[in-house]
């Protein structure tokens, strides 16, 4: 049986990075968005990225990045994946992939069934999708708000579609999410924090423990 791909996102300290890697985490995420409590400068991300080395994949979360930022990320941080968490169009997703030469993960915010309509188009141009809870009205952050969405909206969604489930995941509910949806991957940030932007090593361990303890049906790897 294959465990879901786990990405611990919004890491800001070497201690937290090492805690994820000690548990065999296959991917870590850093955020470059000034309004986020998890925001890191390019230099700080580069230092943490160097510490990761080849031990895990590295994703950088951006929100409507311009070309200058993309170029700086490629030159300074050298991530494996650019995560787009803004209002990027499908054409922009395609352009980001072509400009950077990196894998691109596009976040799709979900609140109602109507929000699922965007999935096929983005699935055609992104290497992975991240299905996240739509931010509350007036929120400063497009993600990382610690809220789940109605998982029943994804009933019948093909488990072969390469998507990461996000939004309010914790050690307490991740087993239920896996049983109901069987996602390819799990993306967690606020659910392993003691306060906004501060990762809790005990909660990181508890999340990995909960995933390992949950029933895990066979999963297919992403096609792209």
């Amino acid at each position: 049986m294959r465990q879901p791909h786990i990405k611990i996102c919004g890491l800001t300290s070497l201690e937290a990075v090492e805690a994820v890697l000690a548990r065999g985490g296959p991917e870590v995420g850093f955020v470059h968005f000034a309004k986020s409590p998890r925001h890191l400068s390019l230099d700080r991300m580069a230092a943490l990225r160097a510490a990761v080395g080849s031990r895990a994949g590295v994703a950088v979360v951006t929100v409507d990045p311009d070309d200058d930022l993309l170029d700086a990320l490629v030159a300074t941080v050298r991530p494996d994946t650019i995560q787009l968490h803004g209002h990027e169009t499908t054409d922009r997703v395609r352009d980001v992939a072509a400009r950077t030469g990196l894998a691109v993960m596009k976040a799709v915010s979900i609140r109602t069934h109507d929000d699922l309509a965007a999935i096929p188009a983005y699935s055609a141009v992104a290497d992975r999708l991240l299905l996240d809870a739509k931010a509350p009205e007036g929120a400063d952050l497009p993600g990382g708000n610690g809220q789940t969405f109605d998982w029943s909206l994804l009933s019948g969604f093909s488990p072969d579609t390469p998507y990461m489930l996000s939004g309010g995941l914790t050690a307490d509910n991740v087993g239920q999410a896996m049983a109901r949806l069987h996602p390819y991957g799990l993306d967690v940030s606020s659910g392993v924090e003691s306060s906004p932007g501060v990762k809790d090593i005990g909660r990181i361990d508890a999340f990995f423990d909960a995933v390992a303890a949950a029933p895990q049906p066979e999963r297919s790897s992403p096609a792209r």
Side-chain angles (χ1 to χ4, degrees), residues 23-103:
R23 295 303 303 263
E27 186 173 19
V28 298
F30 305 129
V31 175
H32 187 76
F33 181 56
K35 293 182 179 181
S36 172
R38 305 164 189 99
H39 171 73
L40 294 177
S41 68
L42 297 188
D43 288 343
R44 181 56 180 158
M45 279 196 292
L48 291 177
R49 198 271 175 270
V52 174
S54 62
R55 292 183 290 169
V58 172
V60 172
V61 180
T62 62
V63 179
D64 298 306
D66 60 22
D67 288 347
D68 288 344
L69 175 56
L70 293 173
D71 293 346
L73 286 170
V74 171
T76 305
V77 183
R78 303 190 311 278
D80 301 292
T81 299
I82 298 291
Q83 181 174 324
L84 301 174
H85 219 304
H87 296 93
E88 301 87 3
T89 64
T90 54
D91 285 343
R92 182 55 176 164
V93 173
R94 189 182 291 109
D95 290 346
V96 169
R99 185 178 188 89
T100 64
L102 302 175

Side-chain angles (χ1 to χ4, degrees), residues 100-177:
T100 64
L102 302 175
V104 176
M105 178 160 56
K106 176 66 179 95
V108 178
S109 299
I110 307 295
R111 180 179 297 144
T112 70
H113 188 270
D114 290 345
D115 296 319
L116 304 182
I119 290 177
Y122 281 116
S123 183
V125 295
D127 296 276
R128 282 181 289 168
L129 299 181
L130 183 137
L131 304 185
D132 195 6
K134 184 169 286 188
E137 295 296 330
D140 287 332
L141 306 181
N145 293 293
Q147 295 191 339
T148 60
F149 62 91
D150 181 0
W151 293 333
S152 69
L153 294 173
L154 298 182
S155 296
F157 195 57
S158 170
D160 294 330
T161 299
Y163 78 92
M164 306 284 289
L165 180 66
S166 187
L169 291 175
T170 68
D172 293 331
N173 66 13
V174 68
Q176 180 186 7

